[in-house]
Amino acid sequence: MDKEQLVEFVQQRGLAVVATRDADGEPQAALVGVAATAEGEIVFDTLTSSRKCRNISSHPRVALMIGWDDEVTLQCEGVADLPLGEDLVRCTTAYFEQFPDGRQRAANPDIKHVRVRPHWLRYSDYRPDSYTIEELELH
């Protein structure tokens, strides 16, 4: 899977489960709407009061699971942050293209956009006629 395929996969699915760790290292998971930038960054929004936002501030390494329909999935591990400046503009542009209603949520000052820069991907297609597993390290 290359960067363009990653972007297309995320855009087609639009949902992911994000796994984070709390301050004590305990795992937590949440369903989020996701978008992808042309650079292959994965973006979602969240409230600053959410567990995932607090977790990311103390442990920025996250895992995402995207896709589960038709037995096709993408596992992703990376580093999350709250982008600023031009990075934020790029990320929110991609997010609002995927979720136009995100503009209304973004008017709330407690909404932040999270960017995940993947460093490892695992694409799995478990359908009998197209069985494929590919892993990719990104740098």
Side-chain angles (χ1 to χ4, degrees):
M1 171 172 279
D2 62 24
K3 185 171 30 175
E4 290 76 24
Q5 291 169 316
L6 164 68
V7 171
E8 182 179 345
F9 191 91
V10 172
Q11 289 172 340
Q12 289 175 349
R13 299 326 187 270
L15 291 174
V17 174
V18 59
T20 60
R21 294 184 303 146
D22 71 13
D24 295 325
E26 294 296 317
Q28 296 176 339
L31 181 66
V32 294
V34 291
T37 69
E39 288 79 9
E41 303 154 310
I42 300 171
V43 182
F44 61 91
D45 69 2
T46 189
L47 286 166
T48 56
S49 60
S50 71
R51 296 186 319 166
K52 64 186 151 301
C53 192
R54 287 191 311 268
N55 294 348
I56 287 167
S57 68
S58 59
H59 296 289
R61 292 177 52 197
V62 301
L64 295 158
M65 171 60 80
I66 304 166
W68 37 82
D69 297 332
D70 299 328
E71 300 182 58
V72 179
T73 63
L74 180 65
Q75 294 169 256
C76 172
E77 294 176 2
V79 177
D81 66 359
L82 302 177
L84 300 172
E86 296 203 12
D87 289 337
L88 178 60
V89 171
R90 185 182 67 255
C91 290
T92 55
T93 297
Y95 188 80
F96 297 150
E97 286 175 9
Q98 183 85 10
F99 300 102
D101 64 328
R103 286 185 172 85
Q104 295 169 328
R105 287 191 303 279
N108 178 342
D110 294 328
I111 289 286
K112 298 296 178 195
H113 289 86
V114 176
R115 166 182 60 181
V116 177
R117 289 180 277 189
H119 60 77
W120 178 84
L121 302 172
R122 182 175 196 237
Y123 172 81
S124 302
D125 183 342
Y126 296 109
R127 297 173 294 181
D129 294 339
S130 58
Y131 184 83
T132 305
I133 296 178
E134 297 177 6
E135 288 191 17
L136 179 64
E137 297 273 343
L138 305 171
H139 302 282

